[in-house]
Amino acid sequence: MKMNNTKQRTAMKVLHVDSNHPVLLQELRDYGFQNDEAYQESKESIMERIADYDGLIIRSRFTIDPTFLDCATKLKFIGRVGAGLENIDTDYAAQRGITLISAPEGNRNAVGEHTLGMLLSLFNKLNKADREVRNGQWLREANRGIELDGKTVGIIGYGNMGKAFAKKLRGFDVTVLCYDIKAGVGDENAQQVSLEALFQATDVLSLHTPQTPQTKHMISESFIQRFQKPFWLLNTARGSAVVTSDLVSALRKGQILGAGLDVLEYEKKSFENLFIKESMPPAFDYLVTADNVLLSPHVAGWTHESNVKLAQTIASKIKEKF
């Protein structure tokens, strides 16, 4: 009898520690991966058994530090269902030969739309006007808006998110400038310029940067003072990019005309919580009462459509590499 020496490929085991759209589990299953779910387990408990797994799927529930990675002796990849990788020690993961996979393509359109929505709402005082009408106030002159046409929009960080926002601005008669540490990223939707040129011309500043040592606390008092005219600030990137107390000071002085903030400096690393009520800093107290400030709870990329696209993107990238 002829012997078949072909070994059957063992399914790669993937541990999911954050819940995501079911399409991610289904597609990985269809590709031949074994899925295990540990949505409620503590980090310590997961560390005790992560050595059994080839892959890890996470959003932001906890940080992936060297101690965790030392336990993950078989780990070949980490899929982070989102845009950034700041909750993972990327350098140590690279030393361990672990492939890191993120999905900025999955929620870039959502971020672009949310950023534009915040800007138009601020310009037209929609949040303030809505609240007043609901309270029986009909104040037309006090809610006279301004138009976006003719303004210069400066974008810092011209990757997936910055490009998506610039694309949404194509229907407006605006000048769009972008600044990025990478050369040659400008396109038909935005002219790449120096930071100094951005300081000179910007009417609206939109942040689309990842969290890095260079971007942490980037929007500070000294940075704000370099702008040649008062401007509007939009931040749908990371809360750590803005020094909130300096932002509030600039809002009080009129150096910043208004702010749309989907993210806050005070967020937990998981992005799921802010802080307990008793510990609210004075700067936050100002933001929640200011008519020219619009706040949302880190949901710019959090649409029903992006939920599916993020999962599909991660699954496709895993299939392509493994």
Side-chain angles (χ1 to χ4, degrees), residues 138-185:
W138 193 262
L139 307 176
R140 297 184 68 227
E141 185 59 35
N143 287 299
R144 190 185 290 272
I146 61 174
E147 296 179 15
L148 182 53
D149 277 19
K151 304 295 190 295
T152 296
V153 179
I155 297 173
I156 296 182
Y158 204 61
N160 280 283
M161 307 305 168
K163 289 178 183 291
F165 179 47
K167 184 179 179 182
K168 301 304 175 189
L169 293 167
R170 286 171 62 174
F172 297 88
D173 185 15
V174 295
T175 299
V176 183
L177 307 176
C178 67
Y179 171 78
D180 197 283
I181 57 174
K182 295 181 180 178
V185 298

Side-chain angles (χ1 to χ4, degrees), residues 3-191:
M3 298 293 294
N4 184 357
N5 294 322
T6 303
K7 293 184 178 179
Q8 185 175 5
R9 185 173 70 90
T10 303
M12 293 179 70
K13 295 177 65 177
V14 181
L15 184 64
H16 299 249
V17 299
D18 280 302
S19 60
N20 293 288
H21 194 279
V23 73
L24 178 55
L25 287 164
Q26 184 60 54
E27 292 202 8
L28 290 181
R29 190 177 300 116
D30 291 344
Y31 297 153
F33 292 85
Q34 175 186 322
N35 295 305
D36 290 340
E37 300 161 66
Y39 304 144
Q40 305 301 323
E41 282 190 45
S42 68
K43 180 179 179 180
E44 291 71 25
S45 174
I46 290 169
M47 286 171 64
E48 292 178 1
R49 64 190 187 101
I50 191 62
D52 293 333
Y53 291 91
D54 304 285
L56 176 70
I57 300 295
I58 192 168
R59 288 204 318 267
S60 303
R61 186 153 71 92
F62 52 75
T63 57
I64 307 298
D65 51 28
T67 302
F68 184 95
L69 292 172
D70 283 340
C71 297
T73 52
K74 286 178 56 180
L75 203 62
K76 298 177 178 63
F77 69 85
I78 300 173
R80 199 258 156 173
V81 187
L85 295 169
E86 66 268 20
N87 63 326
I88 302 170
D89 190 320
T90 56
D91 291 337
Y92 196 70
Q95 291 178 29
R96 294 286 311 278
I98 299 169
T99 299
L100 302 180
I101 301 170
S102 61
E105 307 91 339
N107 61 355
R108 60 189 174 190
N109 182 71
V111 171
E113 290 190 6
H114 191 99
T115 309
L116 179 58
M118 281 192 135
L119 177 56
L120 295 176
S121 181
L122 285 167
F123 270 27
N124 293 283
K125 303 182 181 180
L126 296 182
N127 203 43
K128 171 178 175 291
D130 175 80
R131 184 172 61 251
E132 290 173 352
V133 172
R134 290 173 189 271
N135 289 327
Q137 298 174 285
W138 193 262
L139 307 176
R140 297 184 68 227
E141 185 59 35
N143 287 299
R144 190 185 290 272
I146 61 174
E147 296 179 15
L148 182 53
D149 277 19
K151 304 295 190 295
T152 296
V153 179
I155 297 173
I156 296 182
Y158 204 61
N160 280 283
M161 307 305 168
K163 289 178 183 291
F165 179 47
K167 184 179 179 182
K168 301 304 175 189
L169 293 167
R170 286 171 62 174
F172 297 88
D173 185 15
V174 295
T175 299
V176 183
L177 307 176
C178 67
Y179 171 78
D180 197 283
I181 57 174
K182 295 181 180 178
V185 298
D187 55 20
E188 68 276 11
N189 297 323
Q191 177 190 354

Side-chain angles (χ1 to χ4, degrees), residues 261-311:
L261 307 173
D262 179 56
V263 291
L264 289 168
E265 183 182 7
Y266 318 114
E267 285 182 76
K268 304 295 185 183
K269 287 185 178 180
S270 69
F271 307 142
E272 297 297 331
N273 301 101
L274 205 55
F275 41 70
I276 58 174
K277 188 173 182 180
E278 289 77 12
S279 65
M280 285 186 180
F284 184 75
D285 288 337
Y286 178 88
L287 294 179
V288 298
T289 58
D291 285 333
N292 60 342
V293 174
L294 188 60
L295 303 169
S296 57
H298 202 137
V299 292
W302 201 252
T303 62
H304 291 286
E305 292 85 354
S306 72
N307 192 22
V308 179
K309 288 187 281 188
L310 284 166

